[in-house]
PDB file of all heavy atoms in Angstrom:
ATOM      1  N   SER A 378     -15.922  35.915   0.509  1.00  0.00           N
ATOM      2  CA  SER A 378     -14.681  35.170   0.541  1.00  0.00           C
ATOM      3  C   SER A 378     -13.606  35.991  -0.138  1.00  0.00           C
ATOM      4  O   SER A 378     -13.889  36.981  -0.817  1.00  0.00           O
ATOM      5  CB  SER A 378     -14.851  33.808  -0.159  1.00  0.00           C
ATOM      6  OG  SER A 378     -15.222  34.010  -1.520  1.00  0.00           O
ATOM      7  N   GLY A 379     -12.359  35.548   0.036  1.00  0.00           N
ATOM      8  CA  GLY A 379     -11.252  36.257  -0.580  1.00  0.00           C
ATOM      9  C   GLY A 379     -10.199  36.604   0.458  1.00  0.00           C
ATOM     10  O   GLY A 379     -10.358  36.377   1.657  1.00  0.00           O
ATOM     11  N   ALA A 380      -9.080  37.159  -0.047  1.00  0.00           N
ATOM     12  CA  ALA A 380      -7.971  37.535   0.831  1.00  0.00           C
ATOM     13  C   ALA A 380      -8.317  38.809   1.583  1.00  0.00           C
ATOM     14  O   ALA A 380      -8.671  39.816   0.980  1.00  0.00           O
ATOM     15  CB  ALA A 380      -6.699  37.731   0.014  1.00  0.00           C
ATOM     16  N   LEU A 381      -8.199  38.750   2.901  1.00  0.00           N
ATOM     17  CA  LEU A 381      -8.549  39.908   3.731  1.00  0.00           C
ATOM     18  C   LEU A 381      -7.588  41.070   3.489  1.00  0.00           C
ATOM     19  O   LEU A 381      -7.976  42.227   3.533  1.00  0.00           O
ATOM     20  CB  LEU A 381      -8.526  39.506   5.206  1.00  0.00           C
ATOM     21  CG  LEU A 381      -8.977  40.560   6.210  1.00  0.00           C
ATOM     22  CD1 LEU A 381     -10.429  40.933   5.972  1.00  0.00           C
ATOM     23  CD2 LEU A 381      -8.787  40.062   7.626  1.00  0.00           C
ATOM     24  N   LEU A 382      -6.304  40.756   3.214  1.00  0.00           N
ATOM     25  CA  LEU A 382      -5.325  41.818   3.008  1.00  0.00           C
ATOM     26  C   LEU A 382      -5.611  42.609   1.739  1.00  0.00           C
ATOM     27  O   LEU A 382      -5.267  43.787   1.642  1.00  0.00           O
ATOM     28  CB  LEU A 382      -3.910  41.224   2.948  1.00  0.00           C
ATOM     29  CG  LEU A 382      -3.432  40.472   4.190  1.00  0.00           C
ATOM     30  CD1 LEU A 382      -2.000  40.023   4.002  1.00  0.00           C
ATOM     31  CD2 LEU A 382      -3.551  41.335   5.432  1.00  0.00           C
ATOM     32  N   ASP A 383      -6.199  41.969   0.737  1.00  0.00           N
ATOM     33  CA  ASP A 383      -6.509  42.661  -0.518  1.00  0.00           C
ATOM     34  C   ASP A 383      -7.806  43.440  -0.443  1.00  0.00           C
ATOM     35  O   ASP A 383      -8.135  44.176  -1.377  1.00  0.00           O
ATOM     36  CB  ASP A 383      -6.591  41.645  -1.667  1.00  0.00           C
ATOM     37  CG  ASP A 383      -5.242  40.976  -1.925  1.00  0.00           C
ATOM     38  OD1 ASP A 383      -4.226  41.612  -1.592  1.00  0.00           O
ATOM     39  OD2 ASP A 383      -5.224  39.853  -2.428  1.00  0.00           O
ATOM     40  N   ARG A 384      -8.565  43.259   0.624  1.00  0.00           N
ATOM     41  CA  ARG A 384      -9.841  43.977   0.776  1.00  0.00           C
ATOM     42  C   ARG A 384      -9.864  44.623   2.165  1.00  0.00           C
ATOM     43  O   ARG A 384     -10.516  44.138   3.077  1.00  0.00           O
ATOM     44  CB  ARG A 384     -11.023  43.025   0.624  1.00  0.00           C
ATOM     45  CG  ARG A 384     -11.108  42.378  -0.750  1.00  0.00           C
ATOM     46  CD  ARG A 384     -12.223  41.340  -0.802  1.00  0.00           C
ATOM     47  NE  ARG A 384     -12.394  40.774  -2.125  1.00  0.00           N
ATOM     48  CZ  ARG A 384     -11.670  39.758  -2.597  1.00  0.00           C
ATOM     49  NH1 ARG A 384     -10.753  39.213  -1.832  1.00  0.00           N
ATOM     50  NH2 ARG A 384     -11.873  39.297  -3.816  1.00  0.00           N
ATOM     51  N   PRO A 385      -9.140  45.729   2.311  1.00  0.00           N
ATOM     52  CA  PRO A 385      -8.985  46.336   3.658  1.00  0.00           C
ATOM     53  C   PRO A 385     -10.179  47.187   4.062  1.00  0.00           C
ATOM     54  O   PRO A 385     -10.008  48.260   4.634  1.00  0.00           O
ATOM     55  CB  PRO A 385      -7.716  47.181   3.487  1.00  0.00           C
ATOM     56  CG  PRO A 385      -7.748  47.605   2.056  1.00  0.00           C
ATOM     57  CD  PRO A 385      -8.358  46.449   1.291  1.00  0.00           C
ATOM     58  N   ILE A 386     -11.398  46.728   3.760  1.00  0.00           N
ATOM     59  CA  ILE A 386     -12.579  47.526   4.099  1.00  0.00           C
ATOM     60  C   ILE A 386     -12.726  47.657   5.610  1.00  0.00           C
ATOM     61  O   ILE A 386     -13.015  48.737   6.142  1.00  0.00           O
ATOM     62  CB  ILE A 386     -13.839  46.884   3.473  1.00  0.00           C
ATOM     63  CG1 ILE A 386     -13.747  46.923   1.944  1.00  0.00           C
ATOM     64  CG2 ILE A 386     -15.103  47.598   3.953  1.00  0.00           C
ATOM     65  CD1 ILE A 386     -14.911  46.276   1.252  1.00  0.00           C
ATOM     66  N   THR A 387     -12.504  46.541   6.310  1.00  0.00           N
ATOM     67  CA  THR A 387     -12.643  46.571   7.770  1.00  0.00           C
ATOM     68  C   THR A 387     -11.694  47.582   8.397  1.00  0.00           C
ATOM     69  O   THR A 387     -12.093  48.422   9.220  1.00  0.00           O
ATOM     70  CB  THR A 387     -12.366  45.175   8.350  1.00  0.00           C
ATOM     71  OG1 THR A 387     -13.289  44.248   7.773  1.00  0.00           O
ATOM     72  CG2 THR A 387     -12.545  45.171   9.856  1.00  0.00           C
ATOM     73  N   TYR A 388     -10.429  47.520   7.981  1.00  0.00           N
ATOM     74  CA  TYR A 388      -9.442  48.411   8.596  1.00  0.00           C
ATOM     75  C   TYR A 388      -9.733  49.874   8.271  1.00  0.00           C
ATOM     76  O   TYR A 388      -9.638  50.744   9.145  1.00  0.00           O
ATOM     77  CB  TYR A 388      -8.042  48.041   8.120  1.00  0.00           C
ATOM     78  CG  TYR A 388      -6.965  48.809   8.832  1.00  0.00           C
ATOM     79  CD1 TYR A 388      -6.569  48.442  10.110  1.00  0.00           C
ATOM     80  CD2 TYR A 388      -6.364  49.924   8.254  1.00  0.00           C
ATOM     81  CE1 TYR A 388      -5.599  49.147  10.792  1.00  0.00           C
ATOM     82  CE2 TYR A 388      -5.390  50.633   8.919  1.00  0.00           C
ATOM     83  CZ  TYR A 388      -5.010  50.240  10.185  1.00  0.00           C
ATOM     84  OH  TYR A 388      -4.058  50.949  10.851  1.00  0.00           O
ATOM     85  N   LEU A 389     -10.095  50.157   7.016  1.00  0.00           N
ATOM     86  CA  LEU A 389     -10.380  51.548   6.631  1.00  0.00           C
ATOM     87  C   LEU A 389     -11.592  52.086   7.382  1.00  0.00           C
ATOM     88  O   LEU A 389     -11.618  53.255   7.792  1.00  0.00           O
ATOM     89  CB  LEU A 389     -10.592  51.635   5.122  1.00  0.00           C
ATOM     90  CG  LEU A 389      -9.357  51.344   4.259  1.00  0.00           C
ATOM     91  CD1 LEU A 389      -9.707  51.417   2.777  1.00  0.00           C
ATOM     92  CD2 LEU A 389      -8.228  52.308   4.587  1.00  0.00           C
ATOM     93  N   CYS A 390     -12.612  51.249   7.564  1.00  0.00           N
ATOM     94  CA  CYS A 390     -13.798  51.692   8.316  1.00  0.00           C
ATOM     95  C   CYS A 390     -13.446  51.977   9.772  1.00  0.00           C
ATOM     96  O   CYS A 390     -13.882  52.990  10.339  1.00  0.00           O
ATOM     97  CB  CYS A 390     -14.907  50.634   8.231  1.00  0.00           C
ATOM     98  SG  CYS A 390     -15.698  50.527   6.618  1.00  0.00           S
ATOM     99  N   TYR A 391     -12.657  51.088  10.386  1.00  0.00           N
ATOM    100  CA  TYR A 391     -12.256  51.311  11.778  1.00  0.00           C
ATOM    101  C   TYR A 391     -11.344  52.534  11.904  1.00  0.00           C
ATOM    102  O   TYR A 391     -11.423  53.280  12.881  1.00  0.00           O
ATOM    103  CB  TYR A 391     -11.558  50.071  12.328  1.00  0.00           C
ATOM    104  CG  TYR A 391     -12.500  49.006  12.812  1.00  0.00           C
ATOM    105  CD1 TYR A 391     -12.400  47.687  12.367  1.00  0.00           C
ATOM    106  CD2 TYR A 391     -13.508  49.305  13.727  1.00  0.00           C
ATOM    107  CE1 TYR A 391     -13.261  46.705  12.822  1.00  0.00           C
ATOM    108  CE2 TYR A 391     -14.378  48.324  14.181  1.00  0.00           C
ATOM    109  CZ  TYR A 391     -14.248  47.030  13.727  1.00  0.00           C
ATOM    110  OH  TYR A 391     -15.106  46.063  14.181  1.00  0.00           O
ATOM    111  N   LEU A 392     -10.462  52.743  10.920  1.00  0.00           N
ATOM    112  CA  LEU A 392      -9.597  53.919  10.945  1.00  0.00           C
ATOM    113  C   LEU A 392     -10.425  55.190  10.825  1.00  0.00           C
ATOM    114  O   LEU A 392     -10.208  56.168  11.558  1.00  0.00           O
ATOM    115  CB  LEU A 392      -8.579  53.837   9.806  1.00  0.00           C
ATOM    116  CG  LEU A 392      -7.621  55.021   9.670  1.00  0.00           C
ATOM    117  CD1 LEU A 392      -6.737  55.139  10.901  1.00  0.00           C
ATOM    118  CD2 LEU A 392      -6.765  54.878   8.419  1.00  0.00           C
ATOM    119  N   PHE A 393     -11.401  55.179   9.919  1.00  0.00           N
ATOM    120  CA  PHE A 393     -12.293  56.340   9.768  1.00  0.00           C
ATOM    121  C   PHE A 393     -13.084  56.576  11.053  1.00  0.00           C
ATOM    122  O   PHE A 393     -13.274  57.724  11.473  1.00  0.00           O
ATOM    123  CB  PHE A 393     -13.231  56.099   8.584  1.00  0.00           C
ATOM    124  CG  PHE A 393     -14.212  57.210   8.345  1.00  0.00           C
ATOM    125  CD1 PHE A 393     -13.829  58.366   7.709  1.00  0.00           C
ATOM    126  CD2 PHE A 393     -15.537  57.099   8.775  1.00  0.00           C
ATOM    127  CE1 PHE A 393     -14.723  59.394   7.488  1.00  0.00           C
ATOM    128  CE2 PHE A 393     -16.439  58.113   8.562  1.00  0.00           C
ATOM    129  CZ  PHE A 393     -16.026  59.269   7.910  1.00  0.00           C
ATOM    130  N   THR A 394     -13.541  55.481  11.682  1.00  0.00           N
ATOM    131  CA  THR A 394     -14.274  55.607  12.948  1.00  0.00           C
ATOM    132  C   THR A 394     -13.409  56.273  14.017  1.00  0.00           C
ATOM    133  O   THR A 394     -13.873  57.162  14.747  1.00  0.00           O
ATOM    134  CB  THR A 394     -14.726  54.215  13.422  1.00  0.00           C
ATOM    135  OG1 THR A 394     -15.592  53.640  12.450  1.00  0.00           O
ATOM    136  CG2 THR A 394     -15.457  54.312  14.752  1.00  0.00           C
ATOM    137  N   SER A 395     -12.145  55.865  14.112  1.00  0.00           N
ATOM    138  CA  SER A 395     -11.251  56.446  15.118  1.00  0.00           C
ATOM    139  C   SER A 395     -11.010  57.927  14.862  1.00  0.00           C
ATOM    140  O   SER A 395     -11.006  58.745  15.792  1.00  0.00           O
ATOM    141  CB  SER A 395      -9.922  55.688  15.123  1.00  0.00           C
ATOM    142  OG  SER A 395     -10.122  54.314  15.354  1.00  0.00           O
TER     143      SER A 395
END
Side-chain angles (χ1 to χ4, degrees):
S378 60
L381 185 62
L382 300 183
D383 295 335
R384 297 175 176 84
I386 296 178
T387 301
Y388 187 79
L389 293 178
C390 288
Y391 278 127
L392 178 63
F393 179 79
T394 299
S395 303

